[in-house]
Amino acid sequence: MTAALRFDPIRLPPECEVLRQEVRAFLADEIAAGTFDPHKPQREDSDAPEFSRRVGERGWLGMTWPKQYGGHERSFLERYVVTEEMRVANAPTRRFFVADRQSGPVLLKYAPEHIKMDILPRICRGEVCFSIGMSEPNSGSDLFAAKTKATKTDGGWLINGSKIWTTSAHIADYMIAIFRTSPSTKENRRHGLTQFLVNMKKPGITVNPIAQITGQYEFNEVVFTDHFVPDDHMLGELDGAWKQATSELAYERSGPERFLETYYVLTELVRAVGPKPDTRSAEGIGRLVAQLHTMRRMSVSVAGMLQAGREPVVEASIVKDIGTIWEQQLPHRVRELAAFVDADASNHATLDEQLAFAIKTAPKLTIQGGTTEVLRGIIARGLGLR
């Protein structure tokens, strides 16, 4: 074994509970104002720019970033609380979520100062949307097989090729993408990839939405045709992006969004069975809540590692692996438990509607953000098993 895995028990400090109440009050006001319906978790294609700006005005974007870039220098644990409450409420976070979670931290670490000063404050104000360009046709989540090329030209790079399964590319202002700048070597297939900041509003980019079984659009194919990226938009080390991307994924894979995406069917089931469930329902719900509690403790622990300045790539992969499998299976388990729910339950129609949606959207959960197979490869490598 090359790395010792350790999930230290972390208790959320009192300021997090104060913040939690503030977020809940804000979301209650937004629900009352009709911004979104918490019982309709169909946020996949919902874009809410004004809601995004109001979240920014509250200081809940860029929470952990330096104040000189518009951030608020708060803790990862406080950010965890905001994310958790937004997810539980099914709030429309699409416009700002990726930028706040992982694109901003990448820019903080690798972008030139003038780009930080330009873009990061706008992320904190909830004004810009980011997408991530990693997967490609014919290579899927195998990042090291990427073929989309960045070719050096005067003052920058020309991009040709395509990315696929690119979440939110149809509304994104920017993309942080990995492109091939040199061939891989026989000894190191990770070599030759470089990370770039792409302005999605510039010429040479075509975005083709991909329809999902739910009838909505979340993923896209993005085609680059001689798209020009200036030199100062190259992020970090030439040909060495694999190290940067690996660190970035620690932000992407460890949060509560990795096990709360279908959580709404569990709360709706609890409402349907009422305060005095039968033994079968009580046992089933109790088991699910115990599993959820365990994952939450692990996820909070990873937030504590980020707060400590660590890069918990393996631990984050474990949270994502077990979390997405759990949230993928949850609608099916709830459907089994709901089979004997009183037909006169006041929320029966809502539960049925939510289950129909959750069962259709569940298959994607173990693909987005790194497939189960890729995650287990990372975990095995971290344990020294490959």
Side-chain angles (χ1 to χ4, degrees), residues 7 10 33 39 44 46 82 85 138 144 155 162 175 218 233 252 275 328 330 343 367 382:
F7 287 88
I10 301 288
H39 301 296
E44 273 75 1
S46 61
V82 174
E85 291 299 322
N138 303 318
F144 307 135
S162 59
M175 171 191 288
E218 176 184 13
H233 281 45
E252 183 181 358
Q328 188 177 69
L330 179 61
I367 300 174

PDB file of all heavy atoms in Angstrom, residues 7 10 33 39 44 46 82 85 138 144 155 162 175 218 233 252 275 328 330 343 367 382:
ATOM      1  N   PHE A   7     -10.338   8.592   7.097  1.00  0.00           N
ATOM      2  CA  PHE A   7     -11.440   9.548   7.109  1.00  0.00           C
ATOM      3  C   PHE A   7     -11.616  10.026   8.551  1.00  0.00           C
ATOM      4  O   PHE A   7     -12.310   9.397   9.352  1.00  0.00           O
ATOM      5  CB  PHE A   7     -12.725   8.899   6.598  1.00  0.00           C
ATOM      6  CG  PHE A   7     -12.738   8.657   5.109  1.00  0.00           C
ATOM      7  CD1 PHE A   7     -12.233   7.476   4.581  1.00  0.00           C
ATOM      8  CD2 PHE A   7     -13.246   9.620   4.252  1.00  0.00           C
ATOM      9  CE1 PHE A   7     -12.252   7.251   3.209  1.00  0.00           C
ATOM     10  CE2 PHE A   7     -13.261   9.405   2.871  1.00  0.00           C
ATOM     11  CZ  PHE A   7     -12.757   8.217   2.352  1.00  0.00           C
ATOM     12  N   ILE A  10     -15.127  14.529  11.489  1.00  0.00           N
ATOM     13  CA  ILE A  10     -15.185  15.989  11.543  1.00  0.00           C
ATOM     14  C   ILE A  10     -16.582  16.410  12.008  1.00  0.00           C
ATOM     15  O   ILE A  10     -17.587  15.955  11.452  1.00  0.00           O
ATOM     16  CB  ILE A  10     -14.908  16.615  10.157  1.00  0.00           C
ATOM     17  CG1 ILE A  10     -13.527  16.198   9.652  1.00  0.00           C
ATOM     18  CG2 ILE A  10     -15.042  18.134  10.226  1.00  0.00           C
ATOM     19  CD1 ILE A  10     -12.377  16.828  10.367  1.00  0.00           C
ATOM     20  N   ALA A  33     -41.334  32.802  -3.477  1.00  0.00           N
ATOM     21  CA  ALA A  33     -41.400  33.753  -4.582  1.00  0.00           C
ATOM     22  C   ALA A  33     -41.598  33.058  -5.930  1.00  0.00           C
ATOM     23  O   ALA A  33     -41.737  33.727  -6.958  1.00  0.00           O
ATOM     24  CB  ALA A  33     -40.122  34.592  -4.616  1.00  0.00           C
ATOM     25  N   HIS A  39     -40.302  20.262  -5.014  1.00  0.00           N
ATOM     26  CA  HIS A  39     -40.858  18.933  -5.279  1.00  0.00           C
ATOM     27  C   HIS A  39     -40.699  18.516  -6.739  1.00  0.00           C
ATOM     28  O   HIS A  39     -41.129  17.427  -7.118  1.00  0.00           O
ATOM     29  CB  HIS A  39     -42.332  18.898  -4.886  1.00  0.00           C
ATOM     30  CG  HIS A  39     -42.570  19.220  -3.438  1.00  0.00           C
ATOM     31  ND1 HIS A  39     -42.091  18.426  -2.419  1.00  0.00           N
ATOM     32  CD2 HIS A  39     -43.201  20.255  -2.841  1.00  0.00           C
ATOM     33  CE1 HIS A  39     -42.424  18.943  -1.245  1.00  0.00           C
ATOM     34  NE2 HIS A  39     -43.096  20.060  -1.469  1.00  0.00           N
ATOM     35  N   GLU A  44     -32.028  19.629 -14.358  1.00  0.00           N
ATOM     36  CA  GLU A  44     -30.976  19.322 -15.326  1.00  0.00           C
ATOM     37  C   GLU A  44     -30.847  20.382 -16.424  1.00  0.00           C
ATOM     38  O   GLU A  44     -29.786  20.671 -16.888  1.00  0.00           O
ATOM     39  CB  GLU A  44     -31.214  17.949 -15.962  1.00  0.00           C
ATOM     40  CG  GLU A  44     -30.621  16.795 -15.173  1.00  0.00           C
ATOM     41  CD  GLU A  44     -31.424  16.470 -13.949  1.00  0.00           C
ATOM     42  OE1 GLU A  44     -32.443  17.139 -13.733  1.00  0.00           O
ATOM     43  OE2 GLU A  44     -31.044  15.555 -13.205  1.00  0.00           O
ATOM     44  N   SER A  46     -32.446  23.461 -16.209  1.00  0.00           N
ATOM     45  CA  SER A  46     -32.941  24.746 -15.725  1.00  0.00           C
ATOM     46  C   SER A  46     -31.779  25.709 -15.519  1.00  0.00           C
ATOM     47  O   SER A  46     -30.778  25.361 -14.904  1.00  0.00           O
ATOM     48  CB  SER A  46     -33.718  24.563 -14.420  1.00  0.00           C
ATOM     49  OG  SER A  46     -32.893  24.015 -13.421  1.00  0.00           O
ATOM     50  N   VAL A  82     -23.594  25.045   2.566  1.00  0.00           N
ATOM     51  CA  VAL A  82     -24.371  25.717   1.528  1.00  0.00           C
ATOM     52  C   VAL A  82     -24.714  24.737   0.406  1.00  0.00           C
ATOM     53  O   VAL A  82     -25.861  24.674  -0.047  1.00  0.00           O
ATOM     54  CB  VAL A  82     -23.581  26.917   0.963  1.00  0.00           C
ATOM     55  CG1 VAL A  82     -24.320  27.531  -0.227  1.00  0.00           C
ATOM     56  CG2 VAL A  82     -23.372  27.972   2.051  1.00  0.00           C
ATOM     57  N   GLU A  85     -27.460  22.234   1.557  1.00  0.00           N
ATOM     58  CA  GLU A  85     -28.806  22.793   1.628  1.00  0.00           C
ATOM     59  C   GLU A  85     -29.379  23.056   0.232  1.00  0.00           C
ATOM     60  O   GLU A  85     -30.572  22.845  -0.011  1.00  0.00           O
ATOM     61  CB  GLU A  85     -28.797  24.079   2.459  1.00  0.00           C
ATOM     62  CG  GLU A  85     -28.538  23.847   3.934  1.00  0.00           C
ATOM     63  CD  GLU A  85     -29.594  22.971   4.589  1.00  0.00           C
ATOM     64  OE1 GLU A  85     -30.793  23.104   4.253  1.00  0.00           O
ATOM     65  OE2 GLU A  85     -29.210  22.129   5.421  1.00  0.00           O
ATOM     66  N   ASN A 138     -15.301   8.027 -28.520  1.00  0.00           N
ATOM     67  CA  ASN A 138     -14.452   6.838 -28.690  1.00  0.00           C
ATOM     68  C   ASN A 138     -13.441   6.617 -27.567  1.00  0.00           C
ATOM     69  O   ASN A 138     -12.691   5.649 -27.612  1.00  0.00           O
ATOM     70  CB  ASN A 138     -13.712   6.870 -30.031  1.00  0.00           C
ATOM     71  CG  ASN A 138     -14.660   6.992 -31.200  1.00  0.00           C
ATOM     72  OD1 ASN A 138     -15.711   6.338 -31.211  1.00  0.00           O
ATOM     73  ND2 ASN A 138     -14.341   7.834 -32.152  1.00  0.00           N
ATOM     74  N   PHE A 144      -6.627   9.912 -20.620  1.00  0.00           N
ATOM     75  CA  PHE A 144      -5.308   9.844 -21.251  1.00  0.00           C
ATOM     76  C   PHE A 144      -5.377   9.434 -22.720  1.00  0.00           C
ATOM     77  O   PHE A 144      -4.372   9.480 -23.427  1.00  0.00           O
ATOM     78  CB  PHE A 144      -4.407   8.892 -20.472  1.00  0.00           C
ATOM     79  CG  PHE A 144      -4.347   9.230 -19.002  1.00  0.00           C
ATOM     80  CD1 PHE A 144      -4.454   8.239 -18.044  1.00  0.00           C
ATOM     81  CD2 PHE A 144      -4.214  10.549 -18.586  1.00  0.00           C
ATOM     82  CE1 PHE A 144      -4.410   8.555 -16.695  1.00  0.00           C
ATOM     83  CE2 PHE A 144      -4.179  10.873 -17.244  1.00  0.00           C
ATOM     84  CZ  PHE A 144      -4.278   9.870 -16.291  1.00  0.00           C
ATOM     85  N   GLY A 155       0.928  33.515 -31.251  1.00  0.00           N
ATOM     86  CA  GLY A 155       0.169  34.110 -30.150  1.00  0.00           C
ATOM     87  C   GLY A 155      -0.760  33.191 -29.417  1.00  0.00           C
ATOM     88  O   GLY A 155      -1.473  33.627 -28.499  1.00  0.00           O
ATOM     89  N   SER A 162     -13.186  17.242 -30.776  1.00  0.00           N
ATOM     90  CA  SER A 162     -14.474  17.372 -30.075  1.00  0.00           C
ATOM     91  C   SER A 162     -14.416  16.766 -28.684  1.00  0.00           C
ATOM     92  O   SER A 162     -13.634  15.858 -28.403  1.00  0.00           O
ATOM     93  CB  SER A 162     -15.595  16.717 -30.894  1.00  0.00           C
ATOM     94  OG  SER A 162     -15.317  15.348 -31.106  1.00  0.00           O
ATOM     95  N   MET A 175     -15.025  27.209 -20.704  1.00  0.00           N
ATOM     96  CA  MET A 175     -14.760  25.788 -20.472  1.00  0.00           C
ATOM     97  C   MET A 175     -13.311  25.655 -20.028  1.00  0.00           C
ATOM     98  O   MET A 175     -12.430  26.352 -20.544  1.00  0.00           O
ATOM     99  CB  MET A 175     -14.977  24.973 -21.750  1.00  0.00           C
ATOM    100  CG  MET A 175     -14.505  23.521 -21.642  1.00  0.00           C
ATOM    101  SD  MET A 175     -14.477  22.664 -23.250  1.00  0.00           S
ATOM    102  CE  MET A 175     -16.220  22.448 -23.564  1.00  0.00           C
ATOM    103  N   GLU A 218     -28.918  18.193 -20.853  1.00  0.00           N
ATOM    104  CA  GLU A 218     -27.909  18.565 -19.865  1.00  0.00           C
ATOM    105  C   GLU A 218     -26.515  18.412 -20.461  1.00  0.00           C
ATOM    106  O   GLU A 218     -25.649  19.245 -20.258  1.00  0.00           O
ATOM    107  CB  GLU A 218     -28.048  17.674 -18.627  1.00  0.00           C
ATOM    108  CG  GLU A 218     -26.991  17.896 -17.577  1.00  0.00           C
ATOM    109  CD  GLU A 218     -27.139  16.901 -16.416  1.00  0.00           C
ATOM    110  OE1 GLU A 218     -27.894  15.918 -16.566  1.00  0.00           O
ATOM    111  OE2 GLU A 218     -26.479  17.108 -15.400  1.00  0.00           O
ATOM    112  N   HIS A 233      -4.081  31.794 -22.005  1.00  0.00           N
ATOM    113  CA  HIS A 233      -5.170  30.923 -21.558  1.00  0.00           C
ATOM    114  C   HIS A 233      -4.707  29.478 -21.339  1.00  0.00           C
ATOM    115  O   HIS A 233      -5.509  28.609 -21.030  1.00  0.00           O
ATOM    116  CB  HIS A 233      -6.329  30.941 -22.559  1.00  0.00           C
ATOM    117  CG  HIS A 233      -7.200  32.163 -22.424  1.00  0.00           C
ATOM    118  ND1 HIS A 233      -6.694  33.429 -22.281  1.00  0.00           N
ATOM    119  CD2 HIS A 233      -8.549  32.307 -22.408  1.00  0.00           C
ATOM    120  CE1 HIS A 233      -7.682  34.307 -22.176  1.00  0.00           C
ATOM    121  NE2 HIS A 233      -8.821  33.646 -22.231  1.00  0.00           N
ATOM    122  N   GLU A 252     -14.337  17.790  -7.477  1.00  0.00           N
ATOM    123  CA  GLU A 252     -15.535  17.382  -8.196  1.00  0.00           C
ATOM    124  C   GLU A 252     -16.210  16.175  -7.563  1.00  0.00           C
ATOM    125  O   GLU A 252     -17.414  16.021  -7.675  1.00  0.00           O
ATOM    126  CB  GLU A 252     -15.179  17.069  -9.653  1.00  0.00           C
ATOM    127  CG  GLU A 252     -16.392  16.693 -10.494  1.00  0.00           C
ATOM    128  CD  GLU A 252     -16.040  16.354 -11.928  1.00  0.00           C
ATOM    129  OE1 GLU A 252     -14.843  16.445 -12.263  1.00  0.00           O
ATOM    130  OE2 GLU A 252     -16.935  16.007 -12.686  1.00  0.00           O
ATOM    131  N   PRO A 275     -45.988   9.403  10.218  1.00  0.00           N
ATOM    132  CA  PRO A 275     -45.240   9.302  11.483  1.00  0.00           C
ATOM    133  C   PRO A 275     -45.262   7.901  12.101  1.00  0.00           C
ATOM    134  O   PRO A 275     -44.485   7.624  13.013  1.00  0.00           O
ATOM    135  CB  PRO A 275     -45.942  10.309  12.384  1.00  0.00           C
ATOM    136  CG  PRO A 275     -47.335  10.402  11.835  1.00  0.00           C
ATOM    137  CD  PRO A 275     -47.197  10.229  10.348  1.00  0.00           C
ATOM    138  N   GLN A 328     -27.975   5.993  -7.231  1.00  0.00           N
ATOM    139  CA  GLN A 328     -28.520   5.341  -8.416  1.00  0.00           C
ATOM    140  C   GLN A 328     -29.525   4.245  -8.035  1.00  0.00           C
ATOM    141  O   GLN A 328     -30.555   4.054  -8.682  1.00  0.00           O
ATOM    142  CB  GLN A 328     -27.377   4.733  -9.246  1.00  0.00           C
ATOM    143  CG  GLN A 328     -27.793   4.183 -10.593  1.00  0.00           C
ATOM    144  CD  GLN A 328     -26.583   3.676 -11.366  1.00  0.00           C
ATOM    145  OE1 GLN A 328     -25.969   2.674 -10.996  1.00  0.00           O
ATOM    146  NE2 GLN A 328     -26.227   4.374 -12.433  1.00  0.00           N
ATOM    147  N   LEU A 330     -31.160   4.155  -5.131  1.00  0.00           N
ATOM    148  CA  LEU A 330     -32.174   4.666  -4.210  1.00  0.00           C
ATOM    149  C   LEU A 330     -33.593   4.695  -4.802  1.00  0.00           C
ATOM    150  O   LEU A 330     -34.533   4.240  -4.134  1.00  0.00           O
ATOM    151  CB  LEU A 330     -31.764   6.061  -3.721  1.00  0.00           C
ATOM    152  CG  LEU A 330     -32.746   6.749  -2.758  1.00  0.00           C
ATOM    153  CD1 LEU A 330     -32.914   5.933  -1.478  1.00  0.00           C
ATOM    154  CD2 LEU A 330     -32.252   8.170  -2.430  1.00  0.00           C
ATOM    155  N   ALA A 343     -52.794   4.171  -0.724  1.00  0.00           N
ATOM    156  CA  ALA A 343     -53.116   4.853  -1.980  1.00  0.00           C
ATOM    157  C   ALA A 343     -53.720   6.230  -1.741  1.00  0.00           C
ATOM    158  O   ALA A 343     -53.739   7.081  -2.652  1.00  0.00           O
ATOM    159  CB  ALA A 343     -54.077   4.004  -2.806  1.00  0.00           C
ATOM    160  N   ILE A 367     -21.773   7.610 -14.277  1.00  0.00           N
ATOM    161  CA  ILE A 367     -20.942   7.964 -15.436  1.00  0.00           C
ATOM    162  C   ILE A 367     -20.371   9.358 -15.273  1.00  0.00           C
ATOM    163  O   ILE A 367     -19.173   9.591 -15.459  1.00  0.00           O
ATOM    164  CB  ILE A 367     -21.775   7.871 -16.739  1.00  0.00           C
ATOM    165  CG1 ILE A 367     -22.302   6.453 -16.933  1.00  0.00           C
ATOM    166  CG2 ILE A 367     -20.936   8.324 -17.932  1.00  0.00           C
ATOM    167  CD1 ILE A 367     -23.254   6.306 -18.098  1.00  0.00           C
ATOM    168  N   GLY A 382      -4.040   4.263  -5.809  1.00  0.00           N
ATOM    169  CA  GLY A 382      -3.731   4.897  -4.534  1.00  0.00           C
ATOM    170  C   GLY A 382      -3.371   3.903  -3.451  1.00  0.00           C
ATOM    171  O   GLY A 382      -2.608   4.209  -2.526  1.00  0.00           O
TER     172      GLY A 382
END
